[in-house]
Amino acid sequence: MNERERRLGELEKELTLLSRHFLTSRGSRIGQTLERSAYVLLTRLESGEPLSLKELAHTFQVDVSTINRQVGAMLKHGLVERIPDPDGGIARKFRPTALGLERLRADRAIGIEGTGRLIDATGWTPETTQTFLALLVQLNGGITELEGLSWPDAGRDRTEPGTP
């Protein structure tokens, strides 16, 4: 095994551990009201223009039927609304409602608090945290580009002062 393969193997292992532990190790979901799928869908809809089921399915690389079920549940709970295509297309589009955005922001605040606990546990300085953030932004931007996905601010440069 050459150096690159060893390094990529270690990276793959660490990313697997991160994805496995991140959501649960931040703390319980007590107080959070959104299903994880609704949280992710609302996060995407919040960051850009309204999207159709087909566009959402492409963004998340899942079947339209999966997105249809998830969006249907969100419609039922008043988290999103169906609107005509602002560009005059045939397909209906979806955007978050005021209630959906309110619940997203409330759940996000809980998530940020939990993420803060994780960062505090590392003992990282604000500068180290900012470096890690910049690397994650770059990684997510590259993945978005590679996959041809639609996520408005993926890979954007974040130059705010480093804070956990």
Side-chain angles (χ1 to χ4, degrees), residues 7 15-18 24 34 38 41 47 56 64 69 73 75 79 88 94 97 106 119 123 134 139 157-158 160 163:
R7 194 172 49 249
L15 287 172
T16 300
L17 289 171
L18 178 63
T24 56
L34 296 171
L41 284 165
S47 66
L56 286 167
V64 172
R69 281 192 305 277
L75 277 166
L79 303 174
F94 297 89
T97 62
I119 293 300
L139 179 64
D157 181 28
R158 293 191 179 114
E160 302 94 44
T163 54

Side-chain angles (χ1 to χ4, degrees), residues 11-91:
L11 181 60
E12 188 277 335
K13 177 184 173 189
E14 293 302 323
L15 287 172
T16 300
L17 289 171
L18 178 63
S19 68
R20 181 181 182 280
H21 292 297
F22 181 70
L23 290 174
T24 56
S25 62
R26 290 186 307 173
S28 72
R29 289 186 41 84
I30 293 173
Q32 292 182 314
T33 61
L34 296 171
E35 294 287 329
R36 285 196 177 113
S37 62
Y39 184 91
V40 174
L41 284 165
L42 284 168
T43 297
R44 172 58 185 90
L45 290 170
E46 170 196 45
S47 66
E49 70 285 346
L51 297 172
S52 68
L53 290 174
K54 183 178 179 182
E55 290 166 331
L56 286 167
H58 174 73
T59 296
F60 293 103
Q61 298 185 322
V62 297
D63 291 335
V64 172
S65 63
T66 300
I67 288 292
N68 188 38
R69 281 192 305 277
Q70 293 171 344
V71 170
M74 293 169 67
L75 277 166
K76 179 180 174 184
H77 295 291
L79 303 174
V80 294
E81 61 185 345
R82 184 179 298 136
I83 62 168
D85 185 342
D87 297 324
I90 296 172

